[in-house]
Amino acid sequence: MSTPPPRKAATFDWTTAFIAVLVLVSGTTVYLRDGWPRVLEILGHDFLLFVGIMPSLLAGCLLAAFVALLLPRETVRRWIGAESGITGIFIGAAAGVILPGGPFTIYPVAATLAVMGADIGAIVAFITSWSLLGYSRALVWELPFFGVHFVGWRILLSLPLPILAGLMVRPLANLLAKRFR
Amino acid sequence: MTIFVIGFLWLLVAVLAAVAARQGRSVLKGAIKGGLVEFMRLIPRIAIGVLGSGFIAEIMPEKWVATWLGPESGLAGIAIATLAGGLTPGGPMIGFAVGIAALKAGAASPQVVAYSTAWALFALHRALLYEIPLMPARIVWLRMTASVPLPFIAAYMAMLVGKP
């Protein structure tokens, strides 16, 4: 990423610590239940999986870094901000797919859009499509674990969801606005 | 199939590298450096996640997973998976490690699709750490309310298609 956030600077956060404890506990349980041979068997399998992950992980990291540097973020911002209606929802959804980066880049952009008066449907479509279809997470995290078949189908099935969320949030927002007026 | 996707990935990397190189050596260098730093930073986390998925799958009570999330679990299974996905603490490492562990332990794929989708949409950790501090509260709650049906829709479509 071009602008690394301070929070991600630490290599070992509580998430990693939490799952490390989980691994220790489950690993110990397997050892106590089935003994060393089973532990080593699982470790061997995991090691192969880990080695297989490396090429796509490296490619995913490089891809995200290139797009972050090359994509004119201002332009994207203008597109979603200026448009509204169903077009805005579609543009928001598309931008969520394209725009690289983690929550620390997405939410500030979304918040800016909201302040600029962008349509709530477009904003929700944007966040939803980033969550469900964002390629950085899919490439770096999901693909290595689940494989191409599962991830491909999950993404295909998720394609209409950002549009749906964008369409559904508008009546919801109107309802709320009326209630509290 | 996997090999094609990885090949395509690297092709994309090469194309973007060429575009970056046209903009100047420093752009190319900066991007490669950024990507490598991210890669090195992720390696230990991925290693722990992979280990986690192996051991957690091994001790997951298969009978429960099969009953609660298996092919016969239907709507209730999807609801449980959705709830579990939303309440899963932590980042993608935990979300995906638990998802793949459940799949290995006998959960059906529509239920796991519901889990992943719910995790992506509602993950408690991301909401608390980033979304709620960074976004207007009204938008956060509206987005979450509008998103409630989405894991169910994804899971039902997965059932209809019979995939993944």
Side-chain angles (χ1 to χ4, degrees), chain A residues 57-99:
Chain A
L57 178 66
L58 182 58
C61 289
L62 286 173
L63 204 63
F66 277 124
V67 177
L69 272 182
L70 295 174
L71 194 76
R73 209 159 287 189
E74 296 299 321
T75 317
V76 174
R77 205 175 281 178
R78 225 176 303 135
W79 280 345
I80 322 172
E83 293 286 346
S84 72
I86 187 89
T87 325
I89 290 180
F90 272 97
I91 292 176
V97 179
I98 300 165
L99 205 74

Side-chain angles (χ1 to χ4, degrees), chain A residues 116-154:
Chain A
M116 283 162 63
D119 178 63
I120 185 152
I123 297 172
V124 166
F126 172 65
I127 299 175
T128 309
S129 96
W130 166 75
S131 321
L132 292 176
L133 312 172
Y135 64 90
S136 2
R137 192 162 57 211
L139 288 181
V140 173
W141 294 104
E142 201 177 3
L143 195 65
F145 282 104
F146 284 98
V148 174
H149 179 77
F150 187 91
V151 178
W153 274 103
R154 190 201 57 77

Side-chain angles (χ1 to χ4, degrees), chain A residues 1 7-16 18-20 22-23 25-27 29-30 33-34 38-39 42-43 45-47 49-50 52-63 65-67 69-70 103-104 107-108 110-111 114 120 123-124 127-128 130-132 137 139-146 148-150 153-154 156-158 160-162 164-165 168-169 172-173 176, chain B residues 1-2 5-6 9-10 12-13 16-17 19-20 23 26-28 30-32 34-36 38-56 58-59 89-100 103-104 109 112-113 116-117 119-121 125-127 129-131 134-136 138-139 142-143 145-147 149-151 153-154 157-158 161 163-164:
Chain A
M1 298 302 116
R7 195 177 274 140
K8 280 191 93 183
T11 352
F12 216 82
D13 53 29
W14 73 267
T15 306
T16 315
F18 178 81
I19 202 156
L22 216 60
V23 171
V25 170
S26 48
T29 310
V30 173
R33 200 182 58 187
D34 308 313
R38 185 69 189 132
V39 172
I42 296 171
L43 276 179
H45 179 265
D46 288 346
F47 180 73
L49 184 68
F50 181 70
I53 284 170
M54 288 300 114
S56 48
L57 178 66
L58 182 58
C61 289
L62 286 173
L63 204 63
F66 277 124
V67 177
L69 272 182
L70 295 174
F104 40 84
Y107 291 126
I120 185 152
I123 297 172
V124 166
I127 299 175
T128 309
W130 166 75
S131 321
L132 292 176
R137 192 162 57 211
L139 288 181
V140 173
W141 294 104
E142 201 177 3
L143 195 65
F145 282 104
F146 284 98
V148 174
H149 179 77
F150 187 91
W153 274 103
R154 190 201 57 77
L156 206 65
L157 295 168
S158 297
L161 301 185
L164 269 177
M168 284 190 292
V169 84
L172 264 178
L176 264 183
Chain B
M1 182 67 175
T2 311
V5 171
I6 293 173
L9 267 179
W10 279 100
L12 270 179
V13 171
L16 287 176
V19 176
Q23 295 195 359
S26 63
V27 176
L28 180 65
I32 291 178
L36 285 179
E38 184 73 3
F39 177 66
M40 298 308 287
R41 205 180 59 79
L42 286 174
I43 282 183
R45 295 167 173 229
I46 293 270
I48 296 175
V50 169
L51 283 181
S53 73
F55 284 125
I56 297 166
E58 184 70 15
I59 65 158
M93 190 166 36
I94 295 179
F96 292 136
V98 169
I100 194 69
L103 208 56
K104 280 181 190 167
S109 32
V112 178
V113 165
S116 298
T117 307
W119 174 82
L121 290 171
H125 157 93
R126 203 174 58 228
L129 223 62
Y130 301 105
E131 189 170 9
L134 291 171
M135 296 286 295
R138 193 181 78 97
I139 298 183
L142 281 173
R143 182 191 75 74
T145 313
S147 297
L150 302 186
I153 296 173
M157 287 197 296
V161 185
K163 296 254 171 54

